[in-house]
């Protein structure tokens, strides 16, 4: 009897990661069913990823989004529990550090269903970040810890989590390789947008940057300052747009566009000269394309990108000397995870 996997997704970066594993699970002959919590619901934040990356249509959609964190997570917990009772999977797979991750891990653990956590062991050591709370709890509920980096393995060991811990590489690297191939056929986004050579790509969506108007103004001013050197294109997350409008801030001086699809972002990154972001995924994607990154935060979970000179915090003036990062694997992280799920 083949193992059955229930994959929990909800937010944009999880669609990208799930696309990788979903393909690998199909190759390994494992049965997968997907549940979409609904956390991200705009077509440009959700549907486009499913279409572009051949992600199977979710068997269950919970349509839960918005509200306070506790309310959102609680509703997801209840909805996911009902799905898990119905489906009775052998494994529940959760990704990263969103509220959907936390709800998925908790619902499964309470039902004694083993949880596999993809992107286990990352830490910012900043408990004010909702993501840090989510990932710490998910890691301690998980049965199988699928770590992208050596540091992630070490972080888990420091918290006493030492069994069923595997460094598999980064599924985002697998995703980038796939997207580079697939986006070759599409017309260049740079041309479509009429961007001059030497442009920078920026993204801003972290609560710590968007929810405090003083901080958001500081970030936007920093991007505007940058745009004196080069054109800065800013695909704007709905959360950030709402906050800009609510606090009557200005986006003048920036090339603001709607959120872009994964293939379009891959193309944008491939030709960019600089990335400015508070996203975790984009810090690494910048490196995958060998584009230097400036992180608009006070710390990062992806410390290797800083140590190897491809990334720096915006508070730090210089990059470290540049070298390749060995951690992120060889583009077969999805395959390794599928094998572990099949044999565990
Ligand atoms: C969430 C994750 C974050 C992840 C990010 C990727 C949590 C705590 N945060 O943050 O870790 O990096 O996704 O984008 O889980 N909204 C829309 N349309 C959408 C999606 C969101 O309008 O398609 C609005 C929501 O209604 C809400 C705001 O944007 O008002 C924030 O959305 P939410 O899912 O709470 O958090 P993100 O900032 O997207």
């Amino acid at each position: 009897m083949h193992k059955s996997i229930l994959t929990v997704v909800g937010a944009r970066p999880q669609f990208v990661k799930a696309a990788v594993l979903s393909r690998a699970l199909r190759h390994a002959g494992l049965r997968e069913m997907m549940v979409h919590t609904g956390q991200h619901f705009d077509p440009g934040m959700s549907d486009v990823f499913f279409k572009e990356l051949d992600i199977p249509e979710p068997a269950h959609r919970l349509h839960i989004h918005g509200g306070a964190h506790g309310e959102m997570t609680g509703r997801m917990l209840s909805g996911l529990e009902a799905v898990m009772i119905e489906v009775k999977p052998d494994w529940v797979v959760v990704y990263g550090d969103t509220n959907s991750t936390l709800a998925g891990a908790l619902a499964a653990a309470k039902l004694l269903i083993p949880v596999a956590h993809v992107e286990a062991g990352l830490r910012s050591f900043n408990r004010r970040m909702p993501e840090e709370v989510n990932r710490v709890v998910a890691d301690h509920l998980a049965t199988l810890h699928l770590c992208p980096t050596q540091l992630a393995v070490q972080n888990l060991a420091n918290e006493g989590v030492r069994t069923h811990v595997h460094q598999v590489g980064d599924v985002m690297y697998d995703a980038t390789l796939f997207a580079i191939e697939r986006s070759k056929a599409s017309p260049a986004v740079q041309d479509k947008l009429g961007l001059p050579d030497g442009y920078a790509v920026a993204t801003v969506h972290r609560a710590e940057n968007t929810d405090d108007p003083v901080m958001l103004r500081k970030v936007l001013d920093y991007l505007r300052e940058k745009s004196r050197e080069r054109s800065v294109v800013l695909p704007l997350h709905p959360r950030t747009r709402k906050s800009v409008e609510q606090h009557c801030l200005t986006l003048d001086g920036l090339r603001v566009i709607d959120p872009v699809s994964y293939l379009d972002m891959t193309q944008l990154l491939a030709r960019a000269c600089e990335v400015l972001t508070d996203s975790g995924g984009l810090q690494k994607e910048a490196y995958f394309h060998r584009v230097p990154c400036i992180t608009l935060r006070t710390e990062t979970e992806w410390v290797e990108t800083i140590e190897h000179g491809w990334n720096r915090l915006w508070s730090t003036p210089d990059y470290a000397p540049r070298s390749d990062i060995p951690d992120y694997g060889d583009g077969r992280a999805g395959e390794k995870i599928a094998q572990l799920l099949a044999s565990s």
Side-chain angles (χ1 to χ4, degrees):
M1 208 14 211
H2 287 310
K3 295 234 171 81
S4 67
I5 315 281
L6 183 70
T7 298
V8 178
V9 292
R12 187 168 57 173
Q14 294 167 333
F15 309 141
V16 175
K17 293 166 199 163
V20 169
L21 185 55
S22 213
R23 263 193 306 279
L25 292 174
R26 285 197 291 277
H27 282 140
L30 292 161
R31 272 191 304 134
E32 185 195 27
M33 197 178 270
M34 205 171 274
V35 49
H36 187 329
T37 60
Q39 182 169 351
H40 286 177
F41 53 91
D42 285 345
M45 297 284 288
S46 177
D47 298 354
V48 67
F49 292 82
F50 282 79
K51 283 193 202 106
E52 238 182 21
L53 303 176
D54 300 334
I55 309 172
E57 173 59 24
H60 301 267
R61 286 183 181 268
L62 303 182
H63 304 289
I64 297 164
H65 54 79
H69 282 245
E71 183 197 347
M72 189 205 285
T73 311
R75 291 174 63 213
M76 287 176 185
L77 183 61
S78 159
L80 288 168
E81 182 177 62
V83 172
M84 289 175 198
I85 288 171
E86 185 191 320
V87 173
K88 297 187 184 57
D90 295 307
W91 280 101
V92 165
V93 176
V94 296
Y95 295 88
D97 54 21
T98 72
N99 291 340
S100 300
T101 314
L102 173 62
L106 192 49
K110 294 271 184 186
L111 292 169
L112 308 181
I113 303 169
V115 177
H117 186 201
V118 178
E119 224 173 62
L122 294 193
R123 294 292 181 270
S124 66
F125 302 102
N126 174 1
R127 284 288 169 98
R128 295 176 63 86
M129 276 180 86
E131 292 84 359
E132 182 77 353
V133 176
N134 292 342
R135 58 169 87 99
V136 168
V137 177
D139 276 338
H140 285 267
L141 294 171
T143 319
L144 185 59
H145 305 88
L146 304 156
C147 299
T149 62
Q150 188 49 42
L151 181 61
V153 172
Q154 189 55 50
N155 287 337
L156 289 181
N158 294 345
E159 293 173 19
V161 180
R162 294 194 176 84
T163 52
H164 308 292
V165 175
H166 302 269
Q167 188 189 344
V168 290
D170 193 339
V171 285
M172 295 286 288
Y173 183 49
D174 302 24
T176 291
L177 296 180
F178 176 86
I180 287 173
E181 265 319 294
R182 188 159 272 205
S183 62
K184 276 182 186 159
S186 330
V189 180
Q190 182 188 359
D191 301 338
K192 241 180 358 194
L193 294 173
L195 286 172
D197 285 343
Y199 64 86
V201 180
T203 74
V204 183
H205 77 273
R206 291 277 171 202
E208 69 219 56
N209 282 335
T210 59
D211 291 6
D212 171 3
V214 175
M215 198 60 202
L216 183 54
R217 185 195 297 263
K218 203 174 148 191
V219 171
L220 294 174
D221 284 346
Y222 182 81
L223 297 182
R224 250 188 298 275
E225 190 60 37
K226 274 278 162 192
S227 71
R228 289 167 187 260
E229 294 162 32
R230 50 172 50 117
S231 177
V232 176
V233 62
L234 174 63
L236 202 59
H237 191 292
R239 158 184 224 122
T240 317
R241 188 178 287 281
K242 273 185 204 165
S243 188
V244 165
E245 284 163 9
Q246 191 187 338
H247 300 294
C248 304
L249 299 175
T250 173
L251 296 165
D252 286 356
L254 304 168
R255 179 72 199 277
V256 176
I257 58 174
D258 284 336
V260 291
S261 76
Y262 191 64
L263 297 189
D264 283 358
M265 182 55 102
T266 300
Q267 281 197 356
L268 273 180
L269 290 174
R271 292 202 193 168
C273 283
E274 193 169 42
V275 169
L276 306 142
T277 189
D278 59 9
S279 150
L282 222 60
Q283 291 171 49
K284 284 172 300 157
E285 284 165 341
Y287 165 70
F288 299 153
H289 291 276
R290 301 298 191 269
V291 178
C293 178
I294 298 176
T295 293
L296 309 169
R297 286 178 49 199
T298 47
E299 75 281 303
T300 177
E301 300 77 16
W302 303 101
V303 183
E304 323 68 41
T305 58
I306 303 255
E307 287 171 353
H308 289 266
W310 291 97
N311 189 9
R312 67 178 171 87
L313 301 179
W314 61 333
S315 54
T316 319
D318 295 316
Y319 290 96
R322 209 158 268 174
S323 57
D324 279 353
I325 307 173
D327 281 67
Y328 300 134
D330 53 5
R332 291 173 49 242
E335 211 178 293
K336 287 178 195 157
I337 294 172
Q339 279 164 8
L340 284 164
L341 286 170
S343 62
S344 298

